[in-house]
Amino acid sequence: HLGVLILVHMVIQLVFVWSMWKAMTGMTELLRSMSLMVSAREHKREANVALINSLCPPQKAHRLSQHLATASATMICQTAEEYEDCTLLQMDIKGFTSLSAVISAPELVDLINAIFTSIDEAANIVGAVWKVETIGDCYKAMVGGIMPCDDHAKRAVALGFAIIEIVQGVARRTGLPLTVRCGVASGPVTGAIMGTRLPRYLVHGRTCEEVGLLEQSAPTGA
C-alpha cells in the first residue's frame, strides 16, 4: 500500500508539473501574440500618421486627424489661413502627352514617377517646401508660408533650377525629347484642408494664377 501511495503521489506531482508547464507555455504564446498585436497596431498607427503628413503639412496633421475621425459626407469646414511670405513654383513637362505615342503606359508612369521622386528629394534638400499637388505631369509647390523662411524666393528659384537639371538628366539617359517649363511667383495665398475623400491642403489666390501664367508663358528649359 505504501508503494501504491508513493506512485500515486508521484503521478500527481508529474501531472501538476506538466499542467504548470502547459500553462506557462500558453501564457508565453499569449504574451507573444499580444506583443505582435501591439506592434502591428503601432505600425499601422505610424503608417496612418505618415499618410496624414503626406496629405497636409505636419503642423496641420492633428487637425486633419480629428476631422477624419468625425467627418461625414459633408465637406470639412475650417477657417482658411492667410500666408503673406511665400513663393509658389509650378512646373510642366512640355509635350508629355505626346509621349504616350512613343512609349507604353507603364513606361510613362515609371517615367513621371522617377521625375517626381527626384523632385521630392531636391525639395527636401532645398527645405521649407510644401508640395501642394501634382496633376498629370504638372507639379506645384509652396516655399515658405506654412514652413516660414526669409529666403523663400531664393529657395523656390533654386528648386526650379534643380527641376530643370533633373528633367534634362532624365532626357539624356532615356533619349526622350523631354523639356520643362517653370514659373515662380511670390505673393499672398490662402490655404485650407479641402474635402473628406483624399483630403488635401491646397492653396488659392491671385499668386496661384500668376505662377500658372508664368509657367505657361515660360520658354522650355526655363
Side-chain angles (χ1 to χ4, degrees):
H1 293 291
L2 181 60
V4 172
L5 290 175
I6 292 173
L7 181 60
V8 170
H9 179 72
M10 290 178 64
V11 170
I12 292 174
Q13 290 294 321
L14 289 172
V15 171
F16 176 76
V17 170
W18 181 84
S19 299
M20 289 297 294
W21 176 82
K22 194 71 174 177
M24 291 298 294
T25 301
M27 184 63 70
T28 301
E29 288 297 321
L30 177 61
L31 291 174
R32 180 174 176 274
S33 298
M34 291 178 64
S35 176
L36 290 174
M37 289 175 61
V38 170
S39 178
R41 184 173 297 176
E42 180 63 19
H43 179 73
K44 184 177 181 180
R45 187 192 69 81
E46 292 176 355
N48 288 339
V49 169
L51 176 60
I52 290 175
N53 285 340
S54 71
L55 296 174
C56 71
Q59 300 93 323
K60 311 299 177 186
H62 180 65
R63 181 186 301 177
L64 180 57
S65 299
Q66 292 177 327
H67 282 314
L68 292 177
T70 58
S72 63
T74 59
M75 183 175 65
I76 292 175
C77 296
Q78 67 156 324
T79 304
E81 296 159 313
E82 304 290 335
Y83 300 103
E84 296 289 337
D85 298 322
C86 64
T87 298
L88 297 184
L89 177 145
Q90 184 169 313
M91 65 79 75
D92 179 78
I93 300 175
K94 188 173 184 294
F96 185 80
T97 305
S98 61
L99 286 175
S100 59
V102 180
I103 60 178
S104 67
E107 291 173 331
L108 197 64
V109 171
D110 290 341
L111 177 66
I112 194 66
N113 181 57
I115 291 173
F116 282 164
T117 300
S118 298
I119 294 175
D120 289 341
E121 294 174 355
N124 289 335
I125 295 172
V126 170
V129 178
W130 168 249
K131 181 167 70 173
V132 178
E133 61 182 338
T134 58
I135 302 176
D137 60 309
C138 180
Y139 173 97
K140 186 175 182 179
M142 176 172 65
V143 186
I146 202 165
M147 300 179 179
C149 62
D150 295 330
D151 57 346
H152 50 83
K154 292 181 179 179
R155 291 175 186 251
V157 171
L159 180 58
F161 279 118
I163 289 173
I164 293 171
E165 289 291 331
I166 288 168
V167 175
Q168 288 177 346
V170 172
R172 286 193 299 269
R173 290 192 297 272
T174 60
L176 295 172
L178 299 175
T179 54
V180 66
R181 295 181 303 226
C182 287
V184 175
S186 298
V189 297
T190 301
I193 299 173
M194 300 291 181
T196 55
R197 301 193 64 173
L198 295 178
R200 295 290 309 203
Y201 191 87
L202 302 177
V203 295
H204 301 275
R206 184 175 181 83
T207 309
C208 296
E209 299 175 7
E210 291 174 354
V211 74
L213 291 173
L214 287 169
E215 178 265 308
Q216 293 171 17
S217 60
T220 56

